[in-house]
Amino acid sequence: MTPTLAPTRATTLTAVPLSVAPRAHPLPSLTGLRWAAAFIVFAYHVRNAGLFGGGAQVAMTRTVGAGAVGVSLFFVLSGFVLSWSHRPSQRARSFWWHRLARIYPLHLVALAAALLLSATVVPWIATRDPWAVLANATLTSAWNAEWWQAGNPVSWSLVCEAFFYLVFPLVIVAVRALSREALISAAVSTLLVVLSASTIVTELFPQISPNSSPIVRLPEFVLGIVLAQLLAKNVWRGPRLTPALLVTATGYIAALVWPDSPLSTAGFTIIGFCMLIAALARADCEGRRTLLATRPLTVLGTLSFPFYLVHLLIIQGFAALVPGVDQNPDVVASAVHSVEMLAIGLAAAALLHRLVELPGRRLLLGRMRPARAPIRPPVRPERPRLAGQNRAVPAR
């Protein structure tokens, strides 16, 4: 998950070189894009819950059956935003603590909610192994393929993000030091790794899950880091929004048509996602307002992280508590139930943002010790000179 970016008035790419001050260009469209990614994952899980029946369920499969690629969009977007907003002066320890303050309070509350629900109304998501629950609490569960959905089922992606944050200070230093040509080579090579990683792991390392392994998903995050530096250093200005949307839609359709392909997790959509992120960043920097940069969508983008953490719990709990909701009712009733679950999820996300995320961040960041100012030797006061006295005494 990525830092919230507030909308603001932006200058153009050519007015202020991004290599000089990329942090001077907030990217509100990418905040709105976070909500788009969260919503497609929500719709995907509604489809998986089987709330629709007959032709409606078929239509859901044909439209949001590839919604899992929303997680890939999160990973690339996370790397891009962190790279874009990174300050070279920030130490690794400070970065890690800020990331911990950002994700951990919400993670623990969502995990507690998952354990409560699994012990009461949703027993089918219960984690029987206490070590798996502990691993999820410490954001290490996805390293074991059997534990990938331990605790809160969606938090496997947070385990991946925690690993990404761990390596980010090393990666950003290396990427920043690359020349223009080396940046292009890094982007191409990382893209090729994303396209081939799932196939290679499936063939050579069947004990590793290519979908949930932090190592396998790392190249998507690194690609986001490199992409941001390509734009920040004016190596690439990015495409226009229309071709980026077309390529993204084409990749998404491919993931729908071939759901069992190793490329369906990220490979089909990775080029389109990179183009889309770059196009939206370019639009924001050039002062062109996009739909995703509007106030309603940036507010939803702010709530996307807590919404993502609890949305599956709400879907499962709703299906368990509302009689007949999972018995393939008519399409109108299913649509109404879906809207109800979305509204409950947004209300829960708003409460978690206000009551957990913001206070938790303030509490943890308030415990950081301020950086000590360097100790300098005292400056001896200059002796007053008499009128007419020379500054230098000539040698005799």
Side-chain angles (χ1 to χ4, degrees):
M1 307 306 290
T2 54
T4 301
L5 300 170
T8 186
R9 189 175 182 178
T11 56
T12 65
L13 271 166
T14 55
V16 180
L18 297 187
S19 57
V20 175
R23 286 174 57 85
H25 298 270
L27 306 176
S29 294
L30 299 190
T31 301
L33 186 61
R34 287 173 54 198
W35 168 248
F39 180 79
I40 190 64
V41 174
F42 167 80
Y44 171 73
H45 283 140
V46 169
R47 170 259 189 185
N48 288 354
L51 304 186
F52 290 80
Q57 181 70 7
V58 173
M60 288 287 289
T61 299
R62 290 178 177 175
T63 53
V64 299
V69 300
V71 178
S72 177
L73 179 55
F74 272 129
F75 289 160
V76 181
L77 191 57
S78 177
F80 185 96
V81 173
L82 289 176
S83 176
W84 183 270
S85 59
H86 180 256
R87 294 172 298 177
S89 60
Q90 186 180 30
R91 296 181 177 180
R93 185 178 63 177
S94 172
F95 171 81
W96 291 328
W97 189 253
H98 276 80
R99 291 292 89 203
L100 180 74
R102 172 77 172 87
I103 68 173
Y104 210 68
L106 281 175
H107 165 60
L108 289 180
V109 171
L111 174 59
L115 295 177
L116 177 62
L117 284 176
S118 65
T120 53
V121 297
V122 194
W124 54 86
I125 68 168
T127 302
R128 305 302 179 188
D129 188 345
W131 289 107
V133 175
L134 179 62
N136 185 244
T138 56
L139 293 177
T140 56
S141 51
W143 289 95
N144 184 335
E146 296 180 358
W147 292 351
W148 77 284
Q149 283 195 307
N152 183 7
V154 302
S155 60
W156 68 267
S157 60
L158 200 57
V159 176
C160 293
E161 285 280 354
F163 174 64
F164 302 163
Y165 298 156
L166 182 64
V167 302
F168 175 79
L170 299 176
V171 176
I172 189 62
V173 170
V175 172
R176 278 184 180 274
L178 296 178
S179 64
R180 296 168 62 91
E181 294 76 13
L183 267 177
I184 296 173
S185 298
V188 173
S189 58
T190 308
L191 177 62
L192 293 176
V193 172
V194 174
L195 292 172
S196 60
S198 183
T199 302
I200 293 173
V201 169
T202 301
E203 294 296 329
L204 300 182
F205 306 99
Q207 72 277 12
I208 298 177
S209 169
N211 297 332
S212 59
S213 168
I215 286 288
V216 180
R217 304 306 296 265
L218 177 63
E220 297 161 64
F221 177 77
V222 174
L223 186 57
I225 295 175
V226 176
L227 181 64
Q229 293 303 308
L230 283 172
L231 269 67
K233 295 183 177 181
N234 291 322
V235 178
W236 182 44
R237 294 190 63 196
R240 288 290 183 176
L241 190 55
T242 299
L245 287 171
L246 289 175
V247 176
T248 301
T250 301
Y252 183 79
I253 292 172
L256 286 171
V257 174
W258 295 287
D260 297 326
S261 169
L263 298 176
S264 62
T265 300
F268 286 132
T269 52
I270 190 65
I271 295 176
F273 285 162
C274 288
M275 291 180 63
L276 181 60
I277 292 170
L280 290 171
R282 175 178 176 178
D284 285 343
C285 291
E286 292 180 345
R288 291 182 284 111
R289 190 170 180 81
T290 68
L291 176 63
L292 291 172
T294 57
R295 178 65 178 171
L297 287 176
T298 55
V299 171
L300 289 172
T302 302
L303 301 178
S304 61
F305 178 45
F307 176 83
Y308 174 80
L309 285 181
V310 301
H311 79 276
L312 185 55
L313 300 177
I314 289 171
I315 292 172
Q316 299 281 11
F318 194 94
L321 294 174
V322 178
V325 71
D326 58 347
Q327 302 302 316
N328 296 331
D330 64 89
V331 63
V332 175
S334 298
V336 170
H337 289 322
S338 299
V339 172
E340 290 172 344
M341 289 185 289
L342 178 63
I344 294 172
L346 287 174
L351 288 175
L352 289 170
H353 176 68
R354 179 65 62 89
L355 301 179
V356 177
E357 184 177 8
L358 295 180
R361 193 186 310 175
R362 285 194 296 264
L363 176 64
L364 292 176
L365 294 182
R367 294 179 177 275
M368 288 188 64
R369 295 181 180 180
R372 295 182 180 181
I375 301 177
R376 298 178 179 177
V379 179
R380 298 178 60 181
E382 187 178 356
R383 296 177 60 185
R385 291 186 175 89
L386 300 178
Q389 185 176 5
N390 293 331
R391 291 184 178 272
V393 178
R396 294 182 180 271

